[in-house]
Amino acid sequence: MSVLPLVFTSGWASGINAYAVVLLLGLFGATGLSDEVPEALQRPDVLIVAGVLFLCEAVADKIPYVDNVWDAAHTVIRPLAGAVVAALLAGQSGSLPELAAGAVGGTTALLSHFVKAGTRMAVNTSPEPFSNIAVSTAEDLGVAGVITFAIFHPVAAAVIAAVLLVLGLVIVAFLAHAIRRFWRRRAQRREERRLAAVRERPPAPTDGSEHF
C-alpha cells in the first residue's frame, strides 16, 4: 500500500511515455534521490536504452501521422512497461502485492495510452504540424513534472494523475467526432492509393498474344 500512489502515477505516465518513466525513475534512484526505485531500473544499460528510445519517441511523437503509427506499435509496449515498472516498485518477487501492483500499473497505462492515441488522432485532423509539436511537448513536460513530484509527494501526485486521466477520458469522448473523421480520411487516402495503382497498371493484352 505504501508504494500504491507511485505505482498508479508511474502507470499513468507509462501510458504516455514509458521510456521517460523508466529513464527518470532510474536516474532518481541512481543519484540517491529516492529509495523507492528498484536496482533493476538503475542499471546503466537500462538507462542507456531508455534514453535512446526516449529520444526516438521525442522525434516520432511530433510528426503528424508518424505519431499514430508509433502509438499503434506501443499499444502493447506501454501497458506492459507500466505493469513491469509497477511490479518492480512493489518489490517482492512473485508475491500477491507485486501481481496487484502490475495489474494496477498496466491497466492505468492502457487507459492513459488510449487517451494519448485518441487525442493524437483528433489533433491530426488539423493540417498544420504545430499542434502536434505543442501537444507532444506538453505531454513530455507533464510526465516529467508528475513523476518528479511523485518521488517527493507520491499521494498528491497520484491524485493529480487520477484527475488528468479522468479529464483525458472525458476529452477523448468529446473528440469522438474528430477521431471518426481521422479514420474516414485514412480510409479515403488508402482507397485513393488503391485506385491510383489500378489506373497505373498496364492494360492486359486482348489479342491473344499472352499465350505465346
Side-chain angles (χ1 to χ4, degrees):
M1 292 298 295
S2 62
V3 297
L4 185 58
L6 185 57
V7 162
F8 181 86
T9 304
S10 66
W12 169 82
S14 294
I16 299 174
N17 194 326
Y19 307 124
V21 174
V22 174
L23 181 62
L24 285 171
L25 289 178
L27 290 174
F28 285 136
T31 55
L33 291 175
S34 174
D35 297 328
E36 300 288 347
V37 181
E39 292 184 2
L41 298 178
Q42 303 178 36
R43 291 169 40 185
D45 56 336
V46 172
L47 293 175
I48 291 173
V49 171
V52 171
L53 291 174
F54 169 74
L55 292 177
C56 292
E57 174 145 344
V59 174
D61 210 37
K62 294 175 176 60
I63 304 174
Y65 298 105
V66 174
D67 59 345
N68 297 129
V69 176
W70 186 268
D71 285 339
H74 283 72
T75 300
V76 175
I77 296 174
R78 287 170 182 157
L80 182 60
V84 171
V85 170
L88 289 172
L89 290 172
Q92 303 175 28
S93 179
S95 66
L96 183 59
E98 182 186 38
L99 296 176
V104 171
T107 302
T108 309
L110 181 62
L111 290 174
S112 63
H113 165 75
F114 282 147
V115 170
K116 174 187 174 76
T119 303
R120 288 312 184 84
M121 290 179 189
V123 169
N124 279 338
T125 60
S126 173
E128 44 77 29
F130 304 107
S131 54
N132 291 75
I133 297 174
V135 171
S136 177
T137 303
E139 289 171 349
D140 293 341
L141 293 176
V143 166
V146 172
I147 287 295
T148 302
F149 190 55
I151 293 296
F152 304 102
H153 304 283
V155 175
V159 172
I160 293 173
V163 171
L164 291 175
L165 179 59
V166 172
L167 286 177
L169 292 171
V170 171
I171 290 171
V172 168
F174 276 110
L175 293 176
H177 176 71
I179 293 172
R180 286 194 296 269
R181 186 170 58 182
F182 168 85
W183 285 113
R184 285 197 300 268
R185 285 186 178 181
R186 185 173 180 181
Q188 183 180 2
R189 284 195 299 271
R190 188 178 297 145
E191 181 65 14
E192 288 173 353
R193 287 196 296 268
R194 187 187 69 82
L195 293 175
V198 170
R199 286 195 296 268
E200 293 174 1
R201 190 180 304 163
T206 58
D207 58 356
S209 60
E210 68 272 12
H211 299 294
F212 297 94

